[in-house]
């Protein structure tokens, strides 16, 4: 698609990737890398960050320009979300596209403004989100999505939700799914390896449900492997039942945030990944696990059935006995493990960061063409 501007200056909010990269941070970092690889002069990519104490890595995305404002992120977000000021141009200079990596617009003087919406959990369960999200997202997200030149989402599931609940036209919502990491397939499934959970430990991830299911698994099969929880804890989670605590005593490892090399080693050793979330806009750990050939047990909620595409076992996240049974099936059924491994490897190959970047760039050029024709 052609457009009339002599150059396209894209600004992307890199703040989710500034510190420990969880799913949203990994998404912006890898998408920025893939977009930069597609750009040819005179088009350009600028990464924007703001923090009082944390600075952006000088080698974050080679070739991209960096704007690293020494402004507290909470103060800037309050001004942006509630006042629509100051324009991001103040920090970065003129831009043609301003890409927010969350549901609210980045104020900009003349740029085509895009937002990113991973899921709508903040609407359905606002009490389980961070204070800033509770304050701003439910009140403003729908209005900002309708005002945006485009909405970027990670899955068809989220696209359907945005169209239905926010009233955004289909042609303004672009699916840019994460790509599979460039990791080699592990040598052989580790049937006796730990059961692995990867993700931020917060209410949406249903870790208490996983702990109850794990206790049920151990009661049914005392030889079951340990459970490893890898992810930064936003909320404290413990084993609620006294009986369950006795059953799983010493069998649950809590690692906190793990970087990519450690995460890769955990996947390589795992018997399976379990992700029992109440909602997911995508579920990046599922794709990471499938890339290596790790069997996946996941909730039949949100985008997880879409991402797995039949390659894993899906269970209702409220069915703790069913979740325990699914884990035991992976541990005891070699044929099922082999099926899940092979199907997961094929499924993972359908996800590409280059495809995501191409779709993103096409969304930008379409928005600029609409503006030019208006």
């Amino acid at each position: 698609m052609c457009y009339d501007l002599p150059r396209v200056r894209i600004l992307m909010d890199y703040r989710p990737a500034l510190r420990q990269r969880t799913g949203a941070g990994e998404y912006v970092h890898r998408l920025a890398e893939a977009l930069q690889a597609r750009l040819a002069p005179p088009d350009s990519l600028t990464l924007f960050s703001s923090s009082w104490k944390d600075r952006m890595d000088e080698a974050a995305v080679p070739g991209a320009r960096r704007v690293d404002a020494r402004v507290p992120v909470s103060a800037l977000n309050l001004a942006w979300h509630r006042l629509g000021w100051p324009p991001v141009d103040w920090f970065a200079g003129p831009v043609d596209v301003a890409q927010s990596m969350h549901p609210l617009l980045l104020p900009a003087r003349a740029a085509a403004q895009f937002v990113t919406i991973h899921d709508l959990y903040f609407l359905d369960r606002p009490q389980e989100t961070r204070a800033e999200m509770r304050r701003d997202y439910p009140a403003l997200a729908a209005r900002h999505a309708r005002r945006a030149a485009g909405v970027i989402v990670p899955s068809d599931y989220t696209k359907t939700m945005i169209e239905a609940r926010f009233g955004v036209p289909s042609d303004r919502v672009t699916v840019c799914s994460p790509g599979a990491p460039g990791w080699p397939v592990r040598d052989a499934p580790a049937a006796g390896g730990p059961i692995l959970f990867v993700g931020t430990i917060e209410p949406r991830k249903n870790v208490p449900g996983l702990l109850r299911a794990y206790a049920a698994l151990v009661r049914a099969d005392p030889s079951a492997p340990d459970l490893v929880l890898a992810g930064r804890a936003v909320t404290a989670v413990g084993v609620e039942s006294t009986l369950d605590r006795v059953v799983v005593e010493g069998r649950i490892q809590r690692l906190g945030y793990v970087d990519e090399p450690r995460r890769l080693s955990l996947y390589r050793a795992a018997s399976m990944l379990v992700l029992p979330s109440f909602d997911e806009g995508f579920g990046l750990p599922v794709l990471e696990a499938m890339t290596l050939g790790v069997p996946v047990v996941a909730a039949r909620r949100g985008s997880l059935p879409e991402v797995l595409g039949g390659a894993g076992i899906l269970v209702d996240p409220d069915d703790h006995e069913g979740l325990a049974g699914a884990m035991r099936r992976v541990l005891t059924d070699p044929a099922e493990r082999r099926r899940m491994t092979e199907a997961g490897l094929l499924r993972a190959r359908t996800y590409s960061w280059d495809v995501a970047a191409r779709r993103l760039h096409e969304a930008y050029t379409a928005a600029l063409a609409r503006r030019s024709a208006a």
Side-chain angles (χ1 to χ4, degrees):
M1 183 177 296
C2 298
Y3 49 91
D4 297 331
L5 295 177
R7 62 183 300 196
V8 178
R9 298 160 295 189
I10 302 163
L11 180 139
M12 183 177 288
D13 185 358
Y14 192 75
R15 290 177 298 170
L18 187 59
R19 297 179 63 197
Q20 296 175 342
R21 291 209 301 260
T22 57
E26 191 71 10
Y27 184 79
V28 62
H29 176 71
R30 297 301 179 191
L31 192 56
E33 282 186 328
L35 181 61
Q36 176 62 34
R38 291 190 63 84
L39 294 179
D43 293 356
S44 64
L45 173 64
T46 295
L47 304 179
F48 173 81
S49 181
S50 71
S51 173
W52 184 249
K53 62 178 182 178
D54 296 310
R55 305 273 60 86
M56 194 190 310
D57 184 349
E58 292 185 3
V61 177
R65 174 177 169 243
R66 295 179 300 108
V67 173
D68 195 0
R70 193 175 290 273
V71 179
V73 65
S74 58
L76 186 58
N77 280 349
L78 180 62
W80 274 357
H81 300 170
R82 292 296 173 169
L83 303 176
W85 178 91
V88 73
D89 320 55
W90 276 23
F91 303 100
V95 294
D96 303 304
V97 174
Q99 175 71 66
S100 168
M101 298 309 296
H102 59 70
L104 304 186
L105 297 164
L106 296 183
R109 288 192 179 96
Q113 296 164 282
F114 281 72
V115 297
T116 305
I117 303 179
H118 291 281
D119 56 68
L120 294 182
Y121 195 73
F122 61 82
L123 281 185
D124 299 327
R125 306 289 283 273
Q127 73 279 7
E128 296 180 358
T129 61
R130 292 182 290 107
E132 183 180 283
M133 294 174 66
R134 290 196 301 273
R135 182 192 70 202
D136 293 339
Y137 286 16
L140 301 173
R143 190 189 326 158
H144 282 222
R146 289 191 291 268
R147 282 174 48 200
V151 178
I152 305 304
V153 298
S155 62
D156 289 327
Y157 163 78
T158 305
K159 176 181 171 71
T160 299
M161 298 285 284
I162 297 304
E163 293 170 9
R165 300 181 65 176
F166 284 179
V168 179
S170 179
D171 64 352
R172 301 293 176 92
V173 184
T174 301
V175 177
C176 296
S177 297
W183 298 339
V185 179
R186 65 182 185 176
D187 293 335
I195 298 168
L196 180 63
F197 166 89
V198 175
T200 303
I201 297 177
E202 58 183 341
R204 177 167 61 97
K205 300 294 186 177
N206 189 28
V207 175
L210 172 57
L211 297 181
R212 287 192 289 273
Y214 179 67
L217 170 66
V218 173
R219 281 195 296 271
D221 181 5
S223 67
D226 287 354
L227 173 65
V228 175
L229 305 178
R232 180 170 57 92
V234 174
T235 55
V237 175
V239 183
E240 297 173 357
S241 160
T242 302
L243 176 60
D244 289 349
R245 281 199 297 272
V246 172
V247 169
V248 302
E249 181 71 30
R251 304 187 63 157
I252 300 174
Q253 303 176 44
R254 303 167 188 258
L255 303 182
Y257 174 78
V258 293
D259 60 14
E260 181 174 329
R262 182 74 189 283
R263 199 164 72 249
L264 176 56
S265 69
L266 290 172
Y267 283 125
R268 287 194 175 281
S271 58
M272 72 188 84
L273 173 80
V274 183
L275 195 63
S277 306
F278 292 122
D279 190 31
E280 289 285 351
F282 187 82
L284 188 56
V286 167
L287 179 55
E288 291 180 334
M290 290 192 299
T291 300
L292 290 166
V294 180
V296 177
V297 175
R300 193 181 289 109
R301 295 279 182 90
S303 65
L304 294 174
E306 173 189 337
V307 176
L308 269 170
I313 300 176
L314 295 171
V315 184
D316 188 301
D318 294 312
D319 181 2
H320 309 132
E321 292 294 335
L323 184 57
M327 290 188 283
R328 191 174 187 192
R329 182 177 171 191
V330 175
L331 293 170
T332 60
D333 188 339
E336 179 65 357
R337 285 199 305 275
R338 190 161 49 251
R339 182 200 71 80
M340 295 169 74
T341 294
E342 294 171 356
L345 291 171
L346 290 174
R347 182 64 177 166
R349 292 177 192 138
T350 66
Y351 288 97
S352 161
W353 284 114
D354 182 65
V355 170
R358 174 176 56 79
R359 291 177 177 173
L360 183 65
H361 194 262
E362 288 173 351
Y364 292 162
T365 57
L368 293 170
R370 289 193 299 267
R371 288 162 63 95
S372 179

